[in-house]
Amino acid sequence: MHKTKQSKAMLGSCILFLLFAIMFIYIFFVSLQDLNNSKTKYEDLIYKEFTIEHISKQDDPEMGNTYTITILEDDKKIFVNNLLTERDIRVGLDSLKEGDKIYCYLIETTSRYECVELKSDIMILSLDQYNQIYSKQGILGIIIMPIGFLICFVFSIKFFHAYHSERKANKENKDI
């Protein structure tokens, strides 16, 4: 009975590490997309001027803050993701209030605007900052994710090999 539990634990560990390996592959491709976002140019964007109706901020101590800006002139909202909310940008976003005019370069999706450059009386987020943030994030992911994948994949293979050896030994013991 103890051997069966141990065997199941090894198989479970194998599957768990394989899932982590797949997660690292997914994050690697997200990092490639981030690196691609770091090459954004003004020609790829739309320019809009809006009046702020409301700003909502979602706090996440681990992932950073995200901001959603509701605007008077459009039903769509402006989204500033957590990747873009470094300290100086966050201070600028926190200084915005209802009724302020903002000037933006945006990526338009079907449901919202993705903020790329934002200014009011002062520059809050510039295209250069946007590109630098995404470049740094992309390069970091491209370096770290393959290492994480390899580690998890090797552990998965080791646990599968141990599981297979355990089952083979149990089968030989039954035959005796």
Side-chain angles (χ1 to χ4, degrees):
M1 185 72 175
H2 175 43
K3 296 277 187 186
T4 305
K5 282 186 178 181
Q6 185 179 5
S7 186
K8 285 182 181 180
M10 282 187 266
L11 184 60
S13 296
C14 171
I15 292 170
L16 183 66
F17 276 106
L18 196 55
L19 289 174
F20 277 126
I22 291 169
M23 179 192 70
F24 279 113
I25 289 173
Y26 171 75
I27 296 172
F28 175 78
F29 284 108
V30 169
S31 297
L32 285 175
Q33 184 178 358
D34 286 348
L35 200 55
N36 190 41
N37 284 348
S38 74
K39 298 174 181 139
T40 302
K41 299 177 196 147
Y42 284 112
E43 297 86 44
D44 305 328
L45 307 171
I46 59 169
Y47 176 79
K48 299 261 185 175
E49 296 179 8
F50 297 114
T51 306
I52 296 174
E53 181 178 333
H54 176 70
I55 297 178
S56 60
K57 175 173 124 178
Q58 292 181 323
D59 294 321
D60 185 343
E62 292 178 11
M63 297 299 292
N65 302 328
T66 58
Y67 290 80
T68 304
I69 304 172
T70 307
I71 47 181
L72 293 172
E73 294 83 0
D74 201 330
D75 290 337
K76 291 183 182 180
K77 297 179 181 188
I78 299 172
F79 180 73
V80 182
N81 70 38
N82 61 339
L83 201 59
L84 300 173
T85 56
E86 294 180 344
R87 171 133 175 76
D88 56 334
I89 297 168
R90 193 171 52 245
V91 168
L93 287 165
D94 288 337
S95 72
L96 295 174
K97 54 191 173 308
E98 183 179 314
D100 284 352
K101 283 289 254 182
I102 55 173
Y103 312 93
C104 315
Y105 280 95
L106 308 160
I107 298 171
E108 186 173 12
T109 66
T110 55
S111 60
R112 65 185 183 189
Y113 295 111
E114 301 283 336
C115 185
V116 175
E117 183 171 286
L118 176 69
K119 72 179 192 175
S120 60
D121 295 335
I122 60 166
M123 180 64 74
I124 296 171
L125 171 66
S126 71
L127 178 60
D128 286 338
Q129 287 173 303
Y130 176 90
N131 284 335
Q132 287 173 359
I133 291 166
Y134 271 100
S135 177
K136 178 181 170 186
Q137 187 71 18
I139 290 170
L140 190 64
I142 288 172
I143 293 170
I144 293 174
M145 293 311 127
I147 295 167
F149 168 78
L150 286 173
I151 290 169
C152 289
F153 190 70
V154 166
F155 273 109
S156 180
I157 289 172
K158 293 280 186 187
F159 277 111
F160 181 75
H161 180 67
Y163 167 77
H164 184 66
S165 297
E166 179 75 25
R167 289 203 26 125
K168 189 175 180 181
N170 285 344
K171 187 176 180 183
E172 288 174 2
N173 286 342
K174 282 183 181 180
D175 288 343
I176 295 178

